Amino acid sequence: MIREIIVPTQNTYLLHLPDNLIGKNVEVIAFSNDDISNSETLVGKTSKRTPEQAIAFYAKNAVNFNNIEKWSREDLYN
């Protein structure tokens, strides 16, 4: 594997591949670090949530179905 961070001075770049990559599928990706989101998941760092945090999130964002008016199928036709 080759990983290289460069600051290009021209719009062309010559890449020399090692002999062990010849004949294999090779993916070359070019992007600016400015284009990367600051999200931790994109840089490979995942923050784990605790079960307590998950329960608190769902409790805060839950829908209270007790306040919904009950209806029957016949109500649809009236």
Side-chain angles (χ1 to χ4, degrees):
M1 180 178 146
I2 299 173
R3 183 173 186 180
E4 197 173 323
I5 298 176
I6 64 164
V7 178
T9 57
Q10 299 175 357
N11 62 351
T12 60
Y13 182 73
L14 179 61
L15 176 65
H16 292 280
L17 297 174
D19 292 339
N20 64 344
L21 291 179
I22 294 175
K24 295 182 180 179
N25 289 330
V26 176
E27 180 178 358
V28 178
I29 301 174
F31 57 89
S32 168
N33 285 342
D34 297 337
D35 296 339
I36 300 175
S37 170
N38 289 333
S39 172
E40 291 182 2
T41 58
L42 290 179
V43 277
K45 298 177 184 175
T46 57
S47 60
K48 300 287 183 179
R49 304 274 193 265
T50 64
E52 291 79 17
Q53 289 173 319
I55 292 169
F57 172 82
Y58 287 112
K60 177 184 171 190
N61 297 299
V63 176
N64 184 358
F65 289 102
N66 294 329
N67 297 333
I68 297 176
E69 183 180 332
K70 305 285 187 225
W71 56 273
S72 67
R73 182 170 290 275
E74 284 74 31
D75 292 337
L76 293 174
Y77 303 106
N78 292 331

